[in-house]
Structure formats: C-alpha cells, structure tokens
Amino acid sequence: MPPDRMPPLSLPLIDAARAFLAGRVRRTPLEESPALSKALGVPARLKRESLQVTGSFKIRGAFFRLSLLSAEEKRAGIATCSAGNHGKAVAYAARAFGLVPTIFVPASVDESKYRAMVSLGAEVVRSRFPGYDETEEWALSEAKRAGRVWVSAFDDPAIMAGNGGTLALEILEEFPEARAFVLPVGGGGLAAGLSYAVSERAPGATIVGCNHERSPALALSLERGEAVTRLPAADTAAGGIEGGIGAKPFEVLRSRIARVALVSEEEIFEGVRWMLAEHRYLIEPSAAAAVAACLTGKVGRVDGPAVVVITGRNVSLETLRRVLA
Amino acid sequence: MPPDRMPPLSLPLIDAARAFLAGRVRRTPLEESPALSKALGVPARLKRESLQVTGSFKIRGAFFRLSLLSAEEKRAGIATCSAGNHGKAVAYAARAFGLVPTIFVPASVDESKYRAMVSLGAEVVRSRFPGYDETEEWALSEAKRAGRVWVSAFDDPAIMAGNGGTLALEILEEFPEARAFVLPVGGGGLAAGLSYAVSERAPGATIVGCNHERSPALALSLERGEAVTRLPAADTAAGGIEGGIGAKPFEVLRSRIARVALVSEEEIFEGVRWMLAEHRYLIEPSAAAAVAACLTGKVGRVDGPAVVVITGRNVSLETLRRVLA
C-alpha cells in the first residue's frame, strides 16, 4: 500500500495488525518485578518485549507494514533506515516475503545489530553520518533515486499500530488494572501506538515517555508544540532513542503523553546493570531508559499499577563490556 | 516423608512431580538455535530452563521434595547445602510452605545467589570451606545436631524426579524427535532424572554429560565403576558443577549416560560469551558447560535432533565482568 493511501492510526488498524501478527510473533511475558514495585510504590510489571522475535518490539510493526505491500511495491523493492532494531525486523519480515531490503544504518550502528541484519540476508549500507537523522535524510534520497518503496521506522500508521498498538492490547488483556505505562521514546512509533490504544481502552491511564537527555526529541516537541524531527547526532549507546521524533507519532502523542523523563547515559548504563543484577536479563541501553526513569525517580508520581516496557535485548558484547566496566 | 521411606525413582514418581509442579513453576521454552544446529550438524534446540522461577531448574526438585514433608518434619525444620541454585530453590519453595530453611553454602558462593537466598527469607550459613563437598559434610553434621530434616541437592529420588524427570517429559512432549541430550552434570540429580525418563520414553537416545575438567566426578565415577562422591575443591565460577556426584544419581546414570565431555574454565567462559553474542541471553557458567561441549566439538558425534539443556542464569555482575574481561 503506498504511504499516501495508508489509513490513519485507529483501533481497527491495530486489530488488523494483531490478527496478522498472531502466530507470527511472540506473545511476550508480563512479569512482576518486586524490586521495581518497591521503587515505584505500586505493583509493577515488566513487559518483556526483549524476548520478542528479532530481540525487540520492532518486528511487530515491520512485519505488519510489509504485509500491506502491493505486488508492484514488492517488485520495486523496499528501503529503510534504522539504528538497528527496526532494520533487523525489516530484514526478518522481508525474508518471509522473499524480499531483499536495503537498510541504511548510521556509522555508529551497534555491531551485533549490523551483523544480524547481514546474516538475515539484507543489503546493509552504512552511512558516513554517526546520527540517525542525517543518515535517514541521505537514505531517503538514495532510496528515491533507486525507485525503492520507503518503509519508515516510525512515521507510518501501520508501524505505530503494529509496534505500540498490538503491544498495548496484549498488556491490557492480561493486566487491565494497569494505570501507568513507562516506556522509552525515540522516533515515537511505539509510544504513539501504545498511547493511542491505551487512551481508547484504558482512558485516564498515565503514559510516561523516557528520552535520552542528549536527544530529548519528545520533551522538546511538547515544549515547542511541534514535532522536532531532527536533532544533532548524540553520542550514546542507546541508538534506539537517538534522533528526532516523527511528525505523525507526535500528533498522536502530544495530547496523550503525561510527561517526559530525561535520563542520562550513566543512568541508562546503571539500568542495564540493575536488570542483570536484579532479574538477570540482558537488555539493551535504549530499553534501560525506562528502567532508569523508575530507579532515579524521574518517572514522577505513579498512582496505580504500572507497566515498564522493556523494548529490546540487542546489545553487542563490546557495548556490554563498556556498561559493566 | 523421611528419606528412608522415599520411594525409588520411577515414572510414577516423575508423573507425581509433574502434577504437583503444574502451575507452580514455568513450562520453559524449547527454542531453535540455528547457530548450534550448524555447530552440531543436526537440528538443535535450547531448553531454556534459565527462564525458570528462581533462575534455574532446581526449583522443580526442591518444590516437589518439600511437598512430601510430613507435618512432623515441617516442625523439625529443614536444612540443606547448596552452591546457590538449589538453595535459592529451597528458599523459594520453603517460603510457599511457611518454612524458614537453613542453607549452608560454600565460602566461594556466587554473591547474586547468596543475596537471593537471604532476600527470600532463608537462614544462610556460609561455611569456611571453598568447595561443595567439605561444606556439605560439615552442614550434614550441623543439621543433625540441630535435629533438622536434610534436603539433599541431588541424592534423593524426589529431587531427581523433579529436576530431571519433569524436564525430560516436557522436552519429549514438544520435541519427540529428540535423539540427543547435552547437559551439565554436577551432583547428578538433573542428569539422573532426565536420563531415567528418556531411557523409558525415548529408548536409544544419546545422553552426553558435561563435567568441568577440574571436577570431573561423573567421568571418574564411570572410569572407576563407583560414585566418586567427594572431590577436592576446584577453583571455578561454575559452582553448580563443582564437587562429587551423588551415589543414587550415579546408580541411575552409570548405564544411561553415553559419554562425558570435559570442558575447561575458559571454554565455559566462552560459552557464556557465545550465548550473549549469539542469542543475547544471560546464562551462568555451569549452564555454559553444555554449550561449551557443543562449540568445542567435545560433545562427540550427534546422530539426530539434539537438545542442549540451559540450566540457569544466576550469575553475579562480578563474575560476568570476569567472563567478559
């Protein structure tokens, strides 16, 4: 389906994503965390999307998005830009459809993610730019030149519905008491889909987005009243939350997000260490942003049962060594 | 039930363990490993018992064993000795029965396991001995002096049935084609229960036990034709496979184990790193012994679909730092 004919984000679109994904991706566990419950003062659960196929939630949106491609679009081929997880998800889903995607990645891409995309058979092109936004701008022009269909990592209703919408429905089915959601925010696809579904199905629940303090796209966008879609490259191991926010996700988020917690690189590293020490799960730095917000109290006051979305586990040994050093 | 009245290991005992454990512990995933399949030359799956409640398979046997305690035994109180995982499991199960167990641990106990037992409310007593065997000898006399009921970590049919028997039935239900099982062996409870159930339900399948080369109790026992129940303390991060083998498990294992793979500390560390890099799961050094046997080829020739049992994930950040250094 061409991007200009894509329907807007809606519950029916989320339901369609759910139906398509059933049996194709995992229903990930929602696990109690006594330690986070203590830290937050309310019953807290981890949505362990880090156990998802491809190691992150991104497969939900990517798989659903590719299922909407027309035969003509498939012939033209697809291209995308990713800090890693979306790219890995696109590579995985594309293989299921017999496609070889072109995936543009920042020069700073995590090595484990880079290798995973290559081994899934994708054509991976490393840009000369360290950050996401400049890489994407270049990738868009390259993809256009080659006549490829662009698959945005977040600025697309199907991606929002798949990534965040289906995740929210899963959580609410199992834990309808949830009154607060804490999650990392980068381009905003996950947060937009989740907050949309939550506002429809559990109105009044609080959604706290977590930004890296060096790349606070959501916080700045709320301040300015418009989407900050580009930011200078930030030096961080949390590539998934580096860069600007999508215009479409921000339109959904602006009225639905309660507040933004800004966390530092060191707090994120501490979140990775904490998860290893407390639960003995490996999570990636981007995912740890939400944990960090809870541990530092930056998440703010939480009034009811909370869900902390653990978005992924794709981290290289090199990065893990730095985190533990 | 007093140890001398415990029935021997049998399929009915394993079935009883399964029935008791249903809903009390997790049915853990059996996940394909393309990389291990390549290494072994046969389809290989990981039994991810590292995702089990308390972080290891030990909860299966401990929970079932404690369910057999008489009211009188409960009044007398229980004691056990553990390098960590069995102790953590006993602490967890004891809490469910309203008991406070005394758990004796070697001086070299992994800090994450020690803290976990304490936080589950157990009375944890650190011995002055670094190894398991000397600690257990001392613990047995202390427990006797205090009139406590002894809960062996492996030398007990209920423990064998729970730990290895129920695990084997789960695997065979999901993957009846399995023709080879690779697993770490310490005291032998897991291996005995698993090999007993496999020999009954999938006769002819190959079982490869993995010993630490510095503490090769199963290999030595097979060589000598009798259980080597005590070994000098070995310096290793894989505390779960350090020390002698139980006499009862060895009686089950002697005719059922195909061969023993001896792996080194460095090969075990490489197994932990490999699992992080390849699958991005945290596993503990003892669990990595089975992975190491596959990666080094020490597992020997495997003729059909294989299951590698990933026994636990309880490792401290301190140890993980050493592994990654």
Side-chain angles (χ1 to χ4, degrees), chain A residues 136-200:
Chain A
E136 191 191 54
E137 187 178 3
W138 171 69
L140 270 163
S141 67
E142 290 290 298
K144 196 173 175 186
R145 211 162 47 86
R148 295 249 169 172
V149 176
W150 183 253
V151 176
S152 168
F154 44 77
D155 212 26
D156 179 313
I159 295 283
M160 295 187 253
N163 283 347
T166 64
L167 199 62
L169 296 190
E170 256 182 50
I171 293 169
L172 288 171
E173 257 176 31
E174 202 170 330
F175 193 36
E177 315 85 298
R179 301 306 296 154
F181 296 81
V182 185
L183 73 170
V185 180
L190 169 71
L194 182 137
S195 63
Y196 183 88
V198 166
S199 68
E200 295 286 315

Side-chain angles (χ1 to χ4, degrees), chain B residues 51-131:
Chain B
L51 288 182
Q52 190 51 272
V53 178
T54 72
S56 86
F57 67 93
K58 291 282 193 180
I59 187 63
R60 295 173 180 260
F63 218 154
F64 179 53
R65 176 65 187 85
L66 296 200
S67 76
L68 304 177
L69 291 171
S70 67
E72 194 188 332
E73 288 177 315
K74 283 181 183 160
R75 273 193 301 277
I78 59 171
T80 192
C81 176
S82 169
N85 280 340
H86 169 69
K88 196 174 162 186
V90 167
Y92 181 96
R95 196 171 62 167
F97 291 113
L99 303 173
V100 176
T102 304
I103 302 171
F104 296 90
V105 298
S108 62
V109 65
D110 182 284
E111 280 308 307
S112 83
K113 294 175 182 169
Y114 178 86
R115 284 191 299 266
M117 288 182 262
V118 170
S119 76
L120 282 164
E123 183 200 358
V124 187
V125 185
R126 214 188 278 252
S127 90
R128 66 176 192 281
F129 307 107

Side-chain angles (χ1 to χ4, degrees), chain A residues 279-280 314 321 324, chain B residues 88 280 313-314 321 324:
Chain A
H279 287 277
R280 292 167 310 288
N314 293 324
R321 279 192 188 102
L324 293 180
Chain B
K88 196 174 162 186
R280 291 166 312 285
R313 70 172 196 275
N314 292 325
R321 278 191 189 102
L324 293 180

Side-chain angles (χ1 to χ4, degrees), chain A residues 86-100:
Chain A
H86 169 70
K88 197 174 162 187
V90 166
Y92 182 95
R95 195 170 63 167
F97 290 113
L99 302 174
V100 175

Side-chain angles (χ1 to χ4, degrees), chain A residues 302-322:
Chain A
V302 173
D303 284 325
V307 173
V308 181
V309 182
I310 306 299
T311 47
R313 69 172 197 275
N314 293 324
V315 55
S316 68
L317 281 191
E318 296 86 325
T319 302
L320 186 58
R321 279 192 188 102
R322 276 208 292 135

Side-chain angles (χ1 to χ4, degrees), chain A residues 121-144:
Chain A
E123 184 200 358
V124 187
V125 184
R126 213 187 279 254
S127 90
R128 64 177 194 279
F129 307 107
Y132 181 85
D133 295 335
E134 289 153 310
T135 300
E136 191 191 54
E137 187 178 3
W138 171 69
L140 270 163
S141 67
E142 290 290 298
K144 196 173 175 186

Side-chain angles (χ1 to χ4, degrees), chain B residues 18 42 122 243 307:
Chain B
R18 240 200 136 185
V42 296
V307 174

Side-chain angles (χ1 to χ4, degrees), chain B residues 76-77 79 102 104 123 125 128 136-150:
Chain B
T102 304
F104 296 90
E123 183 200 358
V125 185
R128 66 176 192 281
E136 191 192 52
E137 187 177 2
W138 171 69
L140 270 162
S141 68
E142 290 290 298
K144 197 173 175 184
R145 213 164 45 84
R148 295 252 172 168
V149 176
W150 184 253

